[in-house]
Each structure stands twice: as C-alpha cells, then as structure tokens.
Amino acid sequence: MLPLSTCWDTMTPNKSHWRRWGRNLEQWAYRGLDQHLRVGITGLSGAGKTAFLTSLVHQLLHAEPQHLPMWQALSDGRLLGVQRQSQPDLALLPFDYDNAIAGLCANPPQWPPSTRGLSEIRLALRFAPAGGLKRQLIDHLTLYLDLVDYPGEWLLDLPMLNLEFADWSRQQWQMLSAPPWNETTGAWLAEVEQLSDEAGIEPLAAQYGSLLGELRQSLAATYLQPGRALLPAELAGTPILAFFPLSPQRLEQHDDPLVAVLRSRYDAYCEQVVKPFYRKHFARFDRQVVLVDTLGALDKGHAQITQMADAIQAIQQSFHYGPGSLLRRLFRPRIDKLLFAAGKADHITVDQHANLLSLTDSLMGQSGRLARFSGSKVETMVLSAIRASQQGQVDRGGLIPVIRGVDMAQQAVTRFPGEVPSQLPEPSFWQQQGFEFGRLAPPQLGSVQAPLPHMRMDHLIEWMLGDKM
Amino acid sequence: MLPLSTCWDTMTPNKSHWRRWGRNLEQWAYRGLDQHLRVGITGLSGAGKTAFLTSLVHQLLHAEPQHLPMWQALSDGRLLGVQRQSQPDLALLPFDYDNAIAGLCANPPQWPPSTRGLSEIRLALRFAPAGGLKRQLIDHLTLYLDLVDYPGEWLLDLPMLNLEFADWSRQQWQMLSAPPWNETTGAWLAEVEQLSDEAGIEPLAAQYGSLLGELRQSLAATYLQPGRALLPAELAGTPILAFFPLSPQRLEQHDDPLVAVLRSRYDAYCEQVVKPFYRKHFARFDRQVVLVDTLGALDKGHAQITQMADAIQAIQQSFHYGPGSLLRRLFRPRIDKLLFAAGKADHITVDQHANLLSLTDSLMGQSGRLARFSGSKVETMVLSAIRASQQGQVDRGGLIPVIRGVDMAQQAVTRFPGEVPSQLPEPSFWQQQGFEFGRLAPPQLGSVQAPLPHMRMDHLIEWMLGDKM
C-alpha cells in the first residue's frame, strides 16, 4: 500500500478529518478546473456487470502503481488519493460495493450477487496536473467520477422508438414462430390467435413475460423485447407492460379493438418507459462500457452466439447518433468514448486473448478494432475484472498452456479451455472440438485493502480516465 | 336485477358486442357533452380504502334502485348502464377489483387485502340527460369516472414543503422525545446524538423507518413523517428516504457536515417525492373522499384518537388552497368537493350514527358539519361500505338495540357496542365505560352480481355524481 492510499482512503483511522475535507472538496465540484465524468456500465444479463464495477471501484480506491502499471497518472505519481462520495442522484439505488467486497472476503469467497436495475456510485479522484501552466498555478485538481450500472436489455428497446406497433409486432411474431423458438412459444402463439376478449390480455401478457424468460434461460436468447418484461421492477402488474405481438393476419383487421388496446400500451411503453431512460440516464453519460460475455456465448453454441451478435449489434444502435438521427434529436447524447469489453479473459489461456478480441470484433460486425461512430470513438478490449485463475503449462509430450483455479464446488482444477476461434465459427465448430468454460470461484481476498487480481483493468482505467487527468 | 344492468353489464353473455360498443364509447370521450370526473379515495392505513372502493365499484356496476334509493339519476330511471373501461394511466397499478370480489364470494368470505400504494380504475356511466333542451337533443351521455386510491399518509407530508430541514427536525425531535413516544424512541434518539460519521446515517435511517412503524403499531400514532418511510415501495434502499430529524443542539452546529447531508436528502425528498405526487396525481382530482376510522381510534384510547384528530386536521391542509397559497401556486389543485366519511358504521347501532357524525366533525376541528375551504365544499358522512351486521333488539328489562354479525373467528355474535360520544371525550371516558368494537367478518356474497349490503353508499354516490348527471 502506497502512502497516497493510506492517507486518503475512507478506511484510515482519522476518518472524520478526511470526511470533512472530502465534503469541502465536494463543494468545489464543478468549480473552475475540477472535472466531472459520468460513465455508464452495461452488459446483457450474466455479462458480469457487478463483478466489473466492484473491481473497478476497488482498483481505484486502492490504487498501487505496480498493480495498475498502465495507468499513466498513477505511475507518474500524480494521483493524490481516491475517495467515495455521496451519490448525486438520491432517488437511485446506491451500488452496493461494501456487500460485494464482503462476499469476496468471505470464506469461501462469493461472486457478488447480480443487480436487477440501475445503481450508482461516486468517487472523487484528487490528482496533480500533468504539467505546463496548470501545474505552476494549481497543486491539485479533483475529478468526480460517477459510475452508473444498468441492464443492457434496456438498450435493446431502442429500435421500438422507430417502429409502429404493427411493424414491431410483425418482426417479433416472425422471430417467435421460427425454429427453434417455436418449440417453446407454439402453444402461446396459438392462444394469442384465439384471443377474443380484452380480459384475456393480462394472462397472455404475463405468460409472454415468462416465455421471454424461458427463451433466455433455455436457448440463451438475448434479443428480447420489451426489455422490462424480463425485469419489471416497479412496473410489475401495470398495464404499460401488458402487451405482446399479434399475428400479421390479426393486424390487418383494422377495426379489431384488441389491436387498439395493445397498440396504445406499446405506445405508452415507448413514451413513458423507453424515452425517460434515454432522457434521464443515457443522455447524461460521457463514456460507456459495454461488457460482452463472448466466451459464455461461445460455450453455449452456434445459435446462442449468433443471437448474442445480433443483440450486440442492436446495442450499438444506441451509439449511432449522427446529425439528424432520432437519438440525437430526442435526447442529445454526448458519449465521446465507447468500449466493448470482452470479460472473463481469465477463463482462457493468455495465448487465446488475441483470438477473443478478434472474435468479439467479428460479433460486433466490425472489420477493424477501431471504428468511429458519429459522436463516439469505439474500442474493444479483453479483460478480467476479478482474475480467478493462474496461467501455467503442463507437459503432454510438449508444453501446453493451461489455467489453474478453483471451480464453483471449491475443487482445484487445471484446465486447457481450448482454442478460441478468431471469427464467428461455422456450426461444425461445436461438433468438432471441445471448448471448456466452466465457471471458476473468485479468488480469496485476504482483506478489504488487499490488491484484487485482474487482467487489463489498468488499460481500462487509462482508457476511461487518461485524457481527463 | 334491472334490465339496464342486465343489458349493459360486462358479465352478460353477449359480451363482445357490448365490449365493442363500449370501446366506441371510449372514442367519444371528452367529446362535446360527455364528461370526465376524477375522484381521489384516501384514508390513513386501516381506514378501509380497499373495501370502500370495492363496494363503490360494485354498487355502480350492479346498480338497482331499491338498493341505492338516494341516487337520483338511478331512481329517475336515467342510468342506462355502467361498464368498466381501460384505465387511463397505464403505468399505474390497476385497482384489483376482481380479486377483492373473489374474496367476498369465498367461503368463508374475506375482507379485501389492503393496498400499499396508488391504484386506479375507470368506469363509464351512460345516462339520459335530466331534462330541458339537452334531453330533446341527445338521448344519452357518458360520464367517465376515474377512481384513484392512495395512502392518506402521503398527504401528511405536505407541511414539509413549507418547512426547512431545521424547523422540521425541531418539530419531529420534540414529538419523538415526549411521552409516551420516548419509551419507544429513547434508545434511537440517544444513538442519533452520538452520530459522528456519515456511514452511520444509513443504519439509523433504517431504524427510524422501523421506529415509525412501531409507533403506528403499538401507540396507533398517525402523524408520522416522512410518509414514504412507512411504505417505501420503489424507493426502498435509496438515499432519498435515508434521513431523520436531529436534535436542536446538533442543528446549531452550522459547520456539521452530517447536518448538510441530511438537509440535502430532506430537500430532495420534498422536490422529488412530495411535489411530484401533488403535481401528477393530487392536482388532477376533481373530488376527494377521505375515509376516517373514527370508531377504530375511539376503541383504542384517548392518546390514539387525539393523534388521529391531529392527522385529520393535517390532512385538511391539503385542501386549503386559497389564492396566494403555496398549494395553489405550486400545483393548481381543482378539487371542488371534499368528503370526510366515517366508515364501519355497521359496527355500532343506528341510534349512535348521529353521535358518530358529530364526533367525526369534532375531530376535524369544525364547528358545523358544512364548512367551505377556498376551493372545495366539505361534508362529513357516516357510512358502511360493506355492511357486516344486522340491527336488532334484545330485552334486558327494556329493549336495547344491538348488532348481530359474525366475528373474525366465524362465530355468530350479538353485541351492544356502547354509546359513541358526540365530542372528543375526556380521558376518563375510557375508564368509565366500555366500548366494544371487535371486527366483524364480511357478509357472504352469494354471487358476483348479488347486491352488496351497505349503509349510505347511495348518499355517497349522489354526493359524488348527482350534479354531474
């Protein structure tokens, strides 16, 4: 532990002094040269948002140059300290960092429980300016960093804003009636065809929500709308969520009153649920990290990884806001940097990282690693937020690279996970070769202050904060 | 069952025909002479909001002149039918009428479960105009009636909009430290005095919420702020609810950073919770019913009924909006009629109803039954939404009036509940005489269409709708 984190960390004995000093700091926020950065963290369910955010906060609070070598301001010795602060939006759930860390310090250590909505945490980073005139005038500056996590499924609702109910309905009906989904959805589709009575809408809507959950569970389906049907939170039981697609035949009956009821709910969902999210939250982000569970999808099969690619490409639409686009007209987003991060890189051997990066790029439908949307600069990265394995080698008539860790049943394992393809593979890939991707238990964190092992979180921090410090 | 309700009730066999007709009706809403009326239904926890709203909807849907003699439009034969319609605010919970009725039809019958937030139901009433030119031109009109129930505790937050945190805090601290509350709150108050650290705020705030719950439970305390600490719903766990009063000594330490933290949360609560309720909901009501459980409070004791009187008087503040008042400036409310209804009148003998009315008036701090606020006309009424008893007489050397019903353990009981005082009585009342007010089980409702027994719901309907039909 360096002096800087021992002297300006909330865990130090002389707490109240620094708290008071921190609060004075807060009053200086937005003043003159202090800066403010709001970063969105998202990913589809299971991508590891909570573990990522826990690690990011921990790395920042307990920053040590030898543990985060690529973070320039830290290795320059310009970081003076990092402190947690009160969150700015009081009506949001606070990100439960303490609970997540307590789980990692438990015996056996636990992965943090996943969150089900939007949460927020604020850090203040005090640093010395890099040089020049600024450095001569000021001995330190403060960067206020707000980290906000939210379900990636919410971004999948964006295309609904561009679609009338009838068009959305046709699109969804087609997806639901095609194999393999129709094995799960067949009975429900038939019931919708029989629907003749407004009182039948609520039960069919409830079944539609469960059906989307089943498709996600059993077929790893990801591109499911409306996103809130999967995580309704405070909207549970309200009519605004009680809609679903109708068959193309049904939609042609223009005087069918049930079409009108479902259309009005669809419209209300777009206006009162989707738009407010973009307006209140998305439009306030300066930067955005999208976590992508490429390895998890690769492990599951061809249909699953193809669906995830569709979902990732749909998510990218939220960052296409050139002049004149609907997004820009409606919400004026201002995200200047966008990162797609393929996580859980500790579950494969390091020699496969380049392939994982290339595969993630190919899922995104990008030819090169660096693209540029109107507005945001896009990068992809491979990382492990909380590293649960060590790299090793075993001799099998030649050294082959392996990973060593502890599986979820707390058994030590040595594993050769297999080769990661560099492009979206043909279906035959899953027949020909194995790919072993069993989940590993988190590493034991001896104490709250102990370094949390990771892979490339320093690259990520440099990407996120480098130009602001 | 009269022809009018048999022919235009949602329960009739030829459903789809009338549904379609009803939907056409809806398109005519707000057109020309059709009218729209939005009525708020509130009351402190336990006042019987759900039973009241269930009965009101049932009486309207199954209206029969002999069952609702005081409803003028109905006895004139001008009511042509009543129908449920889709609720206008899709993001609100629908009032669960079907479930409440199912409970009353169960064996044994169940009181409807209490609601914990805001819910809504819309009815369309089709009627023939009363006379004159209108009658010659139009054969029918439609009145759209939106009924919205919400916790009365939310109205108790209104005074907070007029108070700075320091003033609110002093007021609350005084109440919490006075007997008999201080027996419950003493330990918590001492801990707040010791609070030295921002990390201590969250646990003390959580305890404050439980403490308010305990005060309500054990001391029947009603005037508790903030109202959402008791029913947090979607705000559970957010910092906006994590505030509480500090001692006057503490408030004088102007540079105490904890005072600043609590003040900012108090201010955010007023801006982001209290004001939006008044703006989005309260300001849209045309009429308001406040249910008052005078008998329940009388049964509990002197301190409890005095506290309820305080709460009722505080609730009345929400309806004082003369020119220049804060309420009018902020929200432009438009409630033109306000009714305080003392419910559960079936739990006493009819000869005591006049006293119950007079006692309720005295709790409200009013000299006469009819007052006039700037804006709204106020009335009080005694009623029973769902009548659970019959009146009778027994010979005890002279006939005395009794009630007969079934208690909550499903035992038949004959009871002389006692005399209701006509004014808020002295503490000695509770030593001198008994007042028996055990809760009765609801009557068995043979079928969904069967008349639901009540007392004066027809007066209430005439008060609510008479001038609009």
Side-chain angles (χ1 to χ4, degrees):
Chain A
M1 189 67 60
L2 274 191
L4 72 92
S5 40
T6 10
C7 80
W8 202 53
D9 185 281
T10 49
M11 305 301 159
T12 54
N14 186 4
K15 278 195 270 194
S16 64
H17 171 74
W18 289 113
R19 280 249 162 65
R20 209 165 311 129
W21 187 82
R23 235 165 265 116
N24 288 339
L25 250 188
E26 188 154 46
Q27 295 164 4
W28 304 336
Y30 306 103
R31 262 220 235 158
L33 292 158
D34 286 344
Q35 290 190 78
H36 186 260
L37 193 69
R38 200 166 168 86
V39 180
I41 314 285
T42 196
L44 298 171
S45 172
K49 288 186 289 294
T50 313
F52 174 83
L53 190 45
T54 304
S55 171
L56 177 56
V57 172
H58 191 276
Q59 308 297 350
L60 293 172
L61 282 178
H62 305 281
E64 294 182 55
Q66 71 274 30
H67 190 63
L68 298 168
M70 293 300 292
W71 185 8
Q72 200 58 48
L74 182 65
S75 42
D76 290 355
R78 293 191 293 105
L79 184 70
L80 305 174
V82 180
Q83 203 184 44
R84 281 162 77 179
Q85 300 259 319
S86 304
Q87 67 187 74
D89 305 276
L90 297 178
L92 296 185
L93 273 181
F95 174 69
D96 199 352
Y97 172 73
D98 294 318
N99 186 36
I101 287 292
L104 291 170
C105 291
N107 189 4
Q110 309 286 326
W111 289 110
S114 63
T115 51
R116 300 181 66 78
L118 197 143
S119 74
E120 182 184 59
I121 189 166
R122 168 174 279 193
L123 301 175
L125 289 82
R126 196 189 192 198
F127 64 100
L133 186 62
K134 241 189 211 173
R135 175 134 219 183
Q136 289 167 18
L137 292 172
I138 311 152
D139 57 353
H140 68 265
L141 289 169
T142 302
L143 172 64
Y144 292 89
L145 176 64
D146 293 338
L147 301 165
V148 181
D149 81 326
Y150 64 94
E153 281 77 4
W154 294 4
L155 297 179
L156 296 177
D157 282 344
L158 181 74
M160 297 173 76
L161 297 185
N162 250 334
L163 291 174
E164 294 292 326
F165 172 67
D167 299 321
W168 174 79
S169 199
R170 271 183 213 103
Q171 199 183 78
Q172 298 296 312
W173 191 269
Q174 196 182 358
M175 284 168 60
L176 293 167
S177 358
W181 287 18
N182 59 357
E183 286 172 34
T184 309
T185 59
W188 181 85
L189 292 169
E191 269 193 72
V192 173
E193 284 288 57
Q194 299 300 319
L195 175 67
S196 62
D197 193 308
E198 199 176 318
I201 293 180
E202 313 296 328
L204 282 174
Q207 287 168 35
Y208 181 63
S210 321
L211 212 56
L212 297 186
E214 263 175 69
L215 289 171
R216 184 165 71 178
Q217 191 65 35
S218 61
L219 296 172
T222 42
Y223 195 11
L224 301 166
Q225 288 172 342
R228 306 291 165 114
L230 290 156
L231 288 174
E234 79 280 7
L235 296 173
T238 61
I240 205 163
L241 279 190
F243 68 93
F244 44 79
L246 294 172
S247 69
Q249 297 74 27
R250 188 69 176 256
L251 291 165
E252 274 163 29
Q253 294 164 29
H254 293 291
D255 61 341
D256 185 337
L258 295 177
V259 179
V261 170
L262 292 178
R263 185 193 302 121
S264 71
R265 292 180 181 190
Y266 174 89
D267 292 343
Y269 180 81
C270 292
E271 282 300 318
Q272 295 174 44
V273 180
V274 183
K275 284 188 184 173
F277 164 70
Y278 278 91
R279 192 172 297 121
K280 284 192 207 161
H281 301 291
F282 189 85
R284 293 168 60 210
F285 296 141
D286 301 298
R287 276 153 200 201
Q288 173 71 52
V289 178
V290 181
L291 295 166
V292 185
D293 187 14
T294 308
L295 293 172
L298 182 67
D299 187 43
K300 288 188 185 117
H302 183 260
Q304 287 75 6
I305 200 166
T306 310
Q307 276 166 41
M308 200 185 70
D310 287 347
I312 295 295
Q313 288 172 33
I315 282 180
Q316 291 179 60
Q317 298 303 313
S318 288
F319 304 95
H320 282 297
Y321 40 81
S325 66
L326 182 74
L327 255 170
R328 183 178 293 257
R329 284 201 320 275
L330 288 178
F331 313 114
R332 307 188 174 280
R334 61 183 194 199
I335 292 165
D336 64 352
K337 289 175 87 176
L338 168 61
L339 179 74
F340 286 85
K344 307 182 187 173
D346 55 337
H347 283 60
I348 54 173
T349 53
V350 172
D351 59 307
Q352 299 299 316
H353 283 191
N355 279 0
L356 175 56
L357 189 63
S358 159
L359 174 60
T360 305
D361 279 341
S362 83
L363 295 185
M364 292 172 60
Q366 290 186 348
S367 49
R369 273 197 57 213
L370 192 70
R372 181 180 270 281
F373 289 125
S374 330
S376 10
K377 229 184 195 167
V378 189
E379 280 191 62
T380 43
M381 198 180 278
V382 163
L383 55 78
S384 163
I386 299 176
R387 179 177 179 166
S389 72
Q390 277 84 45
Q391 302 283 326
Q393 287 184 318
V394 292
D395 193 346
R396 291 272 182 278
L399 291 176
I400 61 163
V402 292
I403 57 166
R404 292 201 174 90
V406 171
D407 68 13
M408 294 301 280
Q410 292 297 314
Q411 300 300 314
V413 287
T414 296
R415 195 186 279 170
F416 173 65
E419 278 183 26
V420 176
S422 66
Q423 296 291 320
L424 183 58
E426 295 301 313
S428 57
F429 170 83
W430 283 270
Q431 278 107 53
Q432 286 161 7
Q433 71 182 100
F435 176 71
E436 199 189 351
F437 180 71
R439 206 147 170 239
L440 297 173
Q444 181 90 45
L445 192 61
S447 81
V448 173
Q449 280 89 2
L452 189 58
H454 68 90
M455 287 171 136
R456 294 198 195 86
M457 286 299 281
D458 50 343
H459 286 254
L460 177 113
I461 294 170
E462 181 63 22
W463 169 87
M464 189 183 285
L465 306 178
D467 60 333
K468 296 289 177 183
M469 295 177 72
Chain B
M1 189 71 56
L2 275 191
L4 72 92
S5 40
T6 9
C7 79
W8 201 53
D9 184 279
T10 49
M11 305 303 160
T12 55
N14 186 2
K15 276 193 273 192
S16 65
H17 171 75
W18 289 115
R19 278 249 164 65
R20 209 165 311 125
W21 186 82
R23 236 166 263 114
N24 289 338
L25 249 188
E26 188 156 46
Q27 294 164 4
W28 305 334
Y30 306 103
R31 263 221 235 157
L33 292 157
D34 286 342
Q35 290 189 77
H36 186 261
L37 194 68
R38 200 166 168 85
V39 180
I41 314 285
T42 196
L44 298 172
S45 172
K49 288 186 291 293
T50 312
F52 173 84
L53 190 46
T54 303
S55 171
L56 177 56
V57 172
H58 192 276
Q59 308 297 350
L60 294 172
L61 283 178
H62 306 281
E64 295 183 54
Q66 69 273 29
H67 190 64
L68 297 168
M70 294 300 293
W71 185 8
Q72 199 60 47
L74 182 65
S75 42
D76 291 354
R78 294 191 292 105
L79 185 71
L80 305 175
V82 180
Q83 204 187 42
R84 282 163 76 179
Q85 300 259 321
S86 303
Q87 67 188 72
D89 305 276
L90 298 178
L92 296 185
L93 272 181
F95 175 69
D96 199 352
Y97 172 73
D98 294 317
N99 186 36
I101 286 294
L104 291 169
C105 292
N107 189 4
Q110 308 287 327
W111 288 112
S114 62
T115 50
R116 301 181 67 75
L118 198 143
S119 73
E120 182 184 58
I121 189 167
R122 168 174 279 193
L123 300 174
L125 290 82
R126 195 188 191 199
F127 64 98
L133 185 63
K134 238 188 212 176
R135 176 133 218 183
Q136 290 167 18
L137 293 173
I138 311 153
D139 57 353
H140 69 263
L141 290 170
T142 302
L143 173 63
Y144 292 88
L145 176 64
D146 293 337
L147 300 166
V148 181
D149 81 327
Y150 64 93
E153 282 76 3
W154 294 3
L155 296 178
L156 295 177
D157 282 343
L158 181 73
M160 296 172 77
L161 297 185
N162 250 334
L163 291 174
E164 293 293 327
F165 173 67
D167 298 323
W168 175 81
S169 199
R170 271 182 213 104
Q171 202 183 74
Q172 298 296 311
W173 191 269
Q174 196 181 359
M175 283 167 62
L176 293 166
S177 356
W181 287 17
N182 59 356
E183 286 170 34
T184 309
T185 60
W188 181 83
L189 292 170
E191 270 193 72
V192 173
E193 284 287 59
Q194 300 299 320
L195 175 67
S196 62
D197 193 309
E198 202 175 319
I201 292 180
E202 312 296 328
L204 281 174
Q207 287 168 35
Y208 181 64
S210 323
L211 211 58
L212 297 185
E214 263 175 68
L215 289 170
R216 183 165 73 178
Q217 192 64 35
S218 61
L219 296 172
T222 42
Y223 194 12
L224 301 166
Q225 286 170 343
R228 306 291 163 114
L230 291 156
L231 289 174
E234 79 281 6
L235 295 174
T238 61
I240 206 165
L241 280 189
F243 68 92
F244 45 78
L246 293 172
S247 69
Q249 297 73 26
R250 187 70 176 257
L251 291 165
E252 275 162 30
Q253 293 164 29
H254 293 291
D255 61 340
D256 185 338
L258 296 177
V259 178
V261 170
L262 293 177
R263 185 193 301 122
S264 71
R265 294 181 178 190
Y266 174 90
D267 292 344
Y269 181 81
C270 292
E271 283 300 318
Q272 296 175 44
V273 180
V274 183
K275 284 188 183 173
F277 164 70
Y278 277 91
R279 192 172 297 122
K280 284 193 207 161
H281 301 292
F282 189 85
R284 293 169 57 210
F285 297 142
D286 301 299
R287 275 154 203 201
Q288 172 70 53
V289 178
V290 181
L291 294 166
V292 185
D293 188 15
T294 308
L295 293 171
L298 182 67
D299 187 44
K300 285 187 186 121
H302 183 260
Q304 288 76 5
I305 200 167
T306 310
Q307 275 167 41
M308 200 186 69
D310 287 347
I312 294 297
Q313 289 172 33
I315 281 180
Q316 291 179 60
Q317 299 302 314
S318 287
F319 304 95
H320 281 296
Y321 39 82
S325 67
L326 182 74
L327 255 171
R328 183 177 293 258
R329 283 202 320 273
L330 287 179
F331 313 115
R332 309 189 172 280
R334 62 185 194 199
I335 293 164
D336 65 350
K337 289 174 85 176
L338 169 61
L339 179 74
F340 286 85
K344 307 183 187 171
D346 56 334
H347 282 60
I348 53 172
T349 52
V350 171
D351 59 307
Q352 299 299 316
H353 282 191
N355 279 1
L356 174 55
L357 189 63
S358 159
L359 173 61
T360 304
D361 279 341
S362 82
L363 295 185
M364 293 172 59
Q366 291 185 346
S367 49
R369 273 197 56 214
L370 193 70
R372 180 179 271 282
F373 287 126
S374 329
S376 9
K377 231 183 193 167
V378 189
E379 280 191 65
T380 44
M381 199 180 277
V382 163
L383 55 77
S384 162
I386 299 176
R387 180 178 177 165
S389 72
Q390 278 82 48
Q391 301 284 325
Q393 287 185 318
V394 292
D395 193 347
R396 292 274 182 278
L399 291 176
I400 61 164
V402 292
I403 58 167
R404 292 201 174 89
V406 170
D407 68 13
M408 294 300 282
Q410 291 297 315
Q411 300 301 311
V413 286
T414 297
R415 195 185 278 171
F416 174 66
E419 280 184 25
V420 176
S422 66
Q423 297 291 322
L424 183 59
E426 295 300 311
S428 57
F429 169 84
W430 284 268
Q431 278 106 54
Q432 285 162 9
Q433 69 181 103
F435 176 72
E436 199 188 350
F437 179 72
R439 207 149 169 238
L440 297 173
Q444 181 90 45
L445 191 62
S447 79
V448 172
Q449 280 90 1
L452 189 58
H454 69 89
M455 287 171 135
R456 295 201 193 84
M457 286 299 281
D458 49 343
H459 287 254
L460 177 114
I461 294 171
E462 180 63 23
W463 168 87
M464 188 182 286
L465 306 178
D467 59 333
K468 296 287 176 185
M469 295 176 73

